[in-house]
Amino acid sequence: MGAKTTIRRPTAAEIGELPALEVESYLSYADIGMSEVAVGNEPDVGFLSDAFYADNIRIALCDTDIAGFIEYRTLDETLYIAGVNVRPRFLGHRIGALLLEAAAELATARGLHRLSLTTFQDVPWNAPYYERLGWRTLAEEETSAGLLAIRARQRDAGYERWPRTTMVKDLSS
């Protein structure tokens, strides 16, 4: 796949394509025994629209195909990564890493020195992947109030059935 990858803000029309991409990206969870995540994680179209209007979303284009997207927002002096979604046919082409690099650039431009996220601890394309990209796991006592609130909502939604973790990537070095 020699396609050129471009990261940019989506158009209003492209926002409509993202829910289907998000559903497609979650199907990989079914392959590892987490079918509840695959089918129970319906896209929040309102959140995607809000992210678009707040300039808190970027897409990855491979030629003219939307290969993935990232949603983020400012939370407790970090740029919190609410989601990274990549179409299965583009896995292994650094789409997630490119989206995270774009988020790091945006964070720096906004005067933030850290990225944060919550993720599944044992899923290969979650915590182990982020660790390879230079992220670290936060101890509970280091975790901000905002991140703890997100973890509580995830627990209430049933995601804590599988081990989860909170991670950060420092951008100041």
Side-chain angles (χ1 to χ4, degrees):
M1 182 182 272
K4 179 181 186 255
T5 303
T6 305
I7 308 295
R8 67 166 171 77
R9 187 170 193 234
T11 65
E14 289 168 331
I15 288 295
E17 296 178 44
L18 301 185
L21 187 158
E22 188 171 357
V23 167
E24 190 179 340
S25 75
Y26 285 142
L27 294 177
S28 300
Y29 288 98
D31 295 338
I32 61 168
M34 296 172 68
S35 56
E36 293 92 335
V37 174
V39 295
N41 210 340
E42 298 302 318
D44 184 340
V45 178
F47 183 81
L48 291 172
S49 293
D50 291 347
F52 170 74
Y53 288 109
D55 195 20
N56 286 339
I57 194 165
R58 292 292 182 271
I59 60 172
L61 287 171
C62 287
D63 290 332
T64 59
D65 292 328
I66 299 176
F69 70 96
I70 189 169
E71 310 159 64
Y72 46 84
R73 69 178 187 272
T74 301
L75 176 73
D76 299 334
E77 300 180 20
T78 74
L79 191 71
Y80 173 72
I81 308 302
V84 179
N85 297 279
V86 176
R87 280 202 160 103
R89 73 177 186 266
F90 291 102
L91 294 175
H93 297 279
R94 294 203 71 245
I95 302 302
L98 291 170
L99 288 164
L100 289 163
E101 288 170 13
E105 290 172 13
L106 288 161
T108 301
R110 292 179 181 186
L112 303 169
H113 303 289
R114 183 182 261 194
L115 300 176
S116 64
L117 57 76
T118 62
T119 193
F120 292 109
Q121 186 173 311
D122 301 323
V123 174
W125 60 89
N126 282 191
Y129 175 74
Y130 295 118
E131 285 173 0
R132 288 193 304 275
L133 296 178
W135 292 67
R136 70 178 178 85
T137 299
L138 284 178
E140 180 105 12
E141 60 274 5
E142 298 181 86
T143 306
S144 69
L147 288 168
L148 288 171
I150 288 170
R151 290 288 302 272
R153 284 194 299 277
Q154 292 170 344
R155 192 171 23 263
D156 292 345
Y159 289 133
E160 295 289 331
R161 181 172 161 205
W162 303 279
R164 289 190 62 81
T165 192
T166 305
M167 301 182 82
V168 295
K169 182 170 186 179
D170 293 313
L171 304 175
S172 52
S173 54

